[in-house]
Amino acid sequence: MARLVPHGVAAVEDFGDTGPAARMVLHPAEARLVDGVVAERRREFTTVRGCARLAMAELGLPSAPLLPGRRGAPVWPAGCVGSMTHCPGYRAAVVGRSSGFAAIGIDAEVDIPLPVAVAARALSADERARLEVLRLRQGAPVAWDRLVFSVKEAVYKVWSPLTGRWLDYGDADVRLSPDGTFTVRLSVPIPPAGGARLDKVTGRWAASRGLLLAAVSVPAR
């Protein structure tokens, strides 16, 4: 993940709830949110927040509870922005200072094709056509449809806090490049505070250890 985010963004990841992040202690307000939940859910909740705290410490930022806010996304302390993600066998968090970034979004997915019904809902006809060209030229080194889905999830994590609205799958048109980059055109532009409306964002993706990772950031204006 650290290779996918810009300079100035701290990234911490954990494979299997076994690293330092998994041993971090939840804030009492966080612990109440997972009181009584199944053990696996508590582990992923704990580890991903441990990743976030280690990333904050890397930037010299004080530790703080990360509680869900509007639409369930974590509320980051004043002075920073960030994003968290988890999937089977993987947890990660990235954090940047708000003086440099308006928002950051990451997503991780297991590298397997999407169910047909999900792909039909999440990908447009144009996106599916472009993926077919990628398959013909590049083969199937990754689950391309799942990667597009992951990119859209990462984009939503920057779009939502900056707009306060939902982003439909059809509002983001993803173009993947085999070089590990992507471009996303938005039918509903992002209006960062103090800056021009953005109708396009770019980011990076990677495939490793059976996982697909995507990251996008919006610079502060």
Side-chain angles (χ1 to χ4, degrees), residues 79-165:
C80 72
V81 295
S83 183
M84 300 187 292
T85 187
H86 54 79
C87 69
Y90 185 77
R91 330 294 187 202
V94 298
V95 178
R97 293 185 180 276
S98 55
S99 58
F101 301 93
I104 309 169
I106 62 171
D107 186 67
E109 302 285 337
V110 178
D111 187 3
I112 57 175
L114 286 174
V116 173
V118 176
R121 181 167 54 91
L123 278 65
S124 70
D126 287 345
E127 288 170 329
R128 290 195 293 272
R130 289 196 294 268
L131 293 190
E132 187 58 33
V133 173
L134 267 178
R135 290 189 186 98
L136 291 174
R137 293 179 177 174
Q138 304 293 325
V142 302
W144 295 111
D145 57 352
R146 177 81 64 168
L147 180 55
V148 170
F149 177 85
S150 183
V151 168
K152 292 189 178 188
E153 291 292 304
V155 169
Y156 176 73
K157 291 178 182 179
V158 298
W159 194 89
S160 179
L162 293 174
T163 65
R165 298 170 55 189

Side-chain angles (χ1 to χ4, degrees), residues 38 50 70 166:
V38 297
R70 188 178 180 187
W166 290 109

Side-chain angles (χ1 to χ4, degrees), residues 39-110:
E40 167 132 9
R41 170 59 182 146
R42 185 181 179 87
R43 283 196 299 270
E44 70 182 20
F45 183 94
T46 300
T47 302
V48 78
R49 278 161 174 77
C51 289
R53 286 194 175 82
L54 291 173
M56 292 164 69
E58 189 176 321
L59 295 180
L61 297 168
S63 177
L66 297 172
L67 305 176
R70 188 178 180 187
R71 304 191 189 284
V75 176
W76 295 88
C80 72
V81 295
S83 183
M84 300 187 292
T85 187
H86 54 79
C87 69
Y90 185 77
R91 330 294 187 202
V94 298
V95 178
R97 293 185 180 276
S98 55
S99 58
F101 301 93
I104 309 169
I106 62 171
D107 186 67
E109 302 285 337
V110 178

